[in-house]
Amino acid sequence: MSRRSPESPHPQDPQDDLDYRHAPGSRLHFTAHQRGADATALGHLALQLPGILMSLLVVALAASLLESFTGLPYWIAVLLWSASGALVFHAPSENFLARYLLKLQRPLPHEAARLEPVWREVTARAGVDGRRYHLWIEESEDLNAYAAAGHIVAVTRFALEQLPSAQLAAVLAHELGHHTGGHAWSSLLGYWYLLPGRIAWRVLRTVTVLAIRFTGYFSYLGAGVLVLLIGALAFTTLSVLYGLPLVLLVVPWLTAAVGRRAELRADRHAAVLGFAPMLAEVLHTMHAGETRAREYATAATGKPPGEPGALARLLATHPDYRTRMHHLRPYLRPPR
C-alpha cells in the first residue's frame, strides 16, 4: 500500500526517494538575484567576440548590398541584427526554439505530475522561482538533460521514467546551475550572433571548391591561378582585419575548455544543494552505459574501438567521468 509522507507532494513509489523539504503551500524564500553570469559565461562570450565581429561585418556588407537595391540605410539592418539577441529571453521565441528546432514536447499531465514536484523541490532549495522556467520533454532513450535559451529545462523520456526522483532532482539541479550561472543564455547568444559568419564561411568554402574543380576540369594551370588569387585575397583580408580571422582558429579549443569548466560549475551547484551523492550515481550510470556500449562494439567487430585522441579530448565539451567525480569528492565526504 502506498503511503503519503507529510512533506511529500505525491504518493510514495519505488522512484520517489527524494527528501522533500518544501511541501506544497509552504512559504518559499527566493534569493534577491535569480540569475547571473559567472566567469565561464563571460569567458564564453569573450571568446566569441572575434567571431561576432566578423559576423557583424558580414551583416554590414549584406545590408550595404541591400541598400543599393532597396534604398534602406544599411545601419538599420545592422541595428536590428544587433538587437535581435533579445529574442533569447522572449517567451514565444523560446517556445518556437524548443518545439521546432530542439524538437521538444510539453509534458503531459501524468508527466508533469512526476516532474513538477521534483523541480519545485530543486528550485526551492536554490531559492529560485521555478515558475519562471519551462519544463520540456525530449523523446530519447538516452540519459540526458539540458538547459537552453533563457528559461528552457529539458529532460529525456528515459531520465523522466527511469531515474529515481532523487537522481532526477540531481539532474535538474545541474541544469538549473547552467541557468543561474548564465551558461545557457550566453551559449545561445554566441551561437546566434555567430550564425551569419558561419553561413558566409560555408557559402564561400562551397563556391571556392566548386570553382577550383570547374577550372581544374579544363586546365590545371587555371586551377593554380585561381588558388593563387584566392590566397592573395585571403592574405589581403587578414592584413586589412589585422589578423582577426586567425584568432578564430583557436577559439573552438578555448570554447571547449570553458564549456568543460561550466559543466563542473553546474555539478557544484547541484552538490551544494545536497544532490552530490545522487549526481554521482547518475554519472556512474552514464559511465557504465558508455562502458557497455564499448563492450558491445568490441564483441561486434572483434576489436575494441579506438580511444579518443588528444585533439578530440581537447574539443570535448564535457569533462570525463573521472574528472567530474574528482570534483564531486569533497561533497561526498560525510560531515565530521
Side-chain angles (χ1 to χ4, degrees):
M1 179 183 296
S2 63
R3 56 185 178 88
R4 184 184 294 271
S5 169
E7 296 183 347
S8 176
H10 53 82
Q12 293 287 331
D13 58 55
Q15 288 187 325
D16 193 8
D17 58 346
L18 178 61
D19 175 22
Y20 292 95
R21 305 175 186 174
H22 302 84
S26 61
R27 178 176 296 180
L28 302 179
H29 300 279
F30 298 144
T31 59
H33 302 285
Q34 293 286 293
R35 71 166 73 229
D38 62 21
T40 55
L42 297 177
H44 180 83
L45 287 178
L47 288 173
Q48 303 302 328
L49 187 58
I52 292 173
L53 293 177
M54 293 294 297
S55 290
L56 189 61
L57 177 61
V58 170
V59 172
L61 292 175
S64 298
L65 293 176
L66 186 64
E67 181 179 4
S68 62
F69 291 100
T70 64
L72 181 69
Y74 79 96
W75 61 266
I76 294 181
V78 174
L79 183 62
L80 289 175
W81 172 251
S82 301
S84 65
L87 295 175
V88 171
F89 303 101
H90 184 235
S93 301
E94 283 193 348
N95 292 337
F96 179 87
L97 171 69
R99 191 179 300 275
Y100 297 105
L101 298 183
L102 300 179
K103 306 299 182 182
L104 305 178
Q105 301 175 0
R106 291 287 192 181
L108 296 175
H110 70 280
E111 296 169 339
R114 163 97 168 103
L115 188 58
E116 289 176 356
V118 180
W119 176 246
R120 182 183 186 278
E121 177 63 28
V122 169
T123 55
R125 294 192 190 187
V128 171
D129 187 359
R131 296 169 297 181
R132 297 186 177 185
Y133 297 90
H134 308 296
L135 301 175
W136 295 83
I137 306 296
E138 181 187 21
E139 287 291 343
S140 173
E141 293 304 316
D142 294 329
L143 173 52
N144 199 10
Y146 52 87
H151 306 89
I152 295 174
V153 178
V155 297
T156 60
R157 181 163 302 283
F158 178 92
L160 177 68
E161 296 180 349
Q162 301 300 323
L163 289 183
S165 294
Q167 294 185 20
L168 180 60
V171 171
L172 291 174
H174 173 94
E175 302 308 326
L176 179 62
H178 282 310
H179 274 301
T180 58
H183 310 155
W185 65 260
S186 65
S187 295
L188 185 58
L189 273 182
Y191 175 82
W192 177 252
Y193 282 126
L194 287 174
L195 199 56
R198 287 197 179 102
I199 294 175
W201 167 248
R202 290 177 181 176
V203 171
L204 181 61
R205 183 178 60 183
T206 300
V207 171
T208 301
V209 171
L210 292 177
I212 293 175
R213 289 180 179 178
F214 180 77
T215 55
Y217 179 78
F218 295 100
S219 168
Y220 288 110
L221 178 61
V225 171
L226 182 61
V227 170
L228 291 176
L229 289 176
I230 294 173
L233 179 62
F235 179 79
T236 303
T237 302
L238 291 174
S239 301
V240 171
L241 297 178
Y242 301 101
L244 182 61
L246 291 178
V247 179
L248 302 179
L249 298 177
V250 299
V251 166
W253 314 94
L254 298 177
T255 302
V258 171
R260 293 193 295 272
R261 177 57 58 179
E263 292 298 325
L264 295 177
R265 284 178 176 263
D267 283 351
R268 186 176 65 183
H269 180 270
V272 169
L273 296 182
F275 297 111
M278 303 80 163
L279 183 59
E281 293 171 356
V282 173
L283 294 177
H284 178 73
T285 300
M286 296 174 64
H287 180 65
E290 294 172 357
T291 302
R292 285 194 298 270
R294 291 180 60 84
E295 292 175 350
Y296 293 151
T298 301
T301 61
K303 59 179 181 180
E307 293 289 340
L311 295 181
R313 290 195 297 270
L314 288 175
L315 284 173
T317 58
H318 285 64
D320 59 76
Y321 169 71
R322 291 182 179 275
T323 300
R324 298 180 74 171
M325 290 300 299
H326 172 75
H327 285 268
L328 277 179
R329 188 175 302 166
Y331 302 95
L332 298 174
R333 296 169 182 168
R336 295 181 180 179

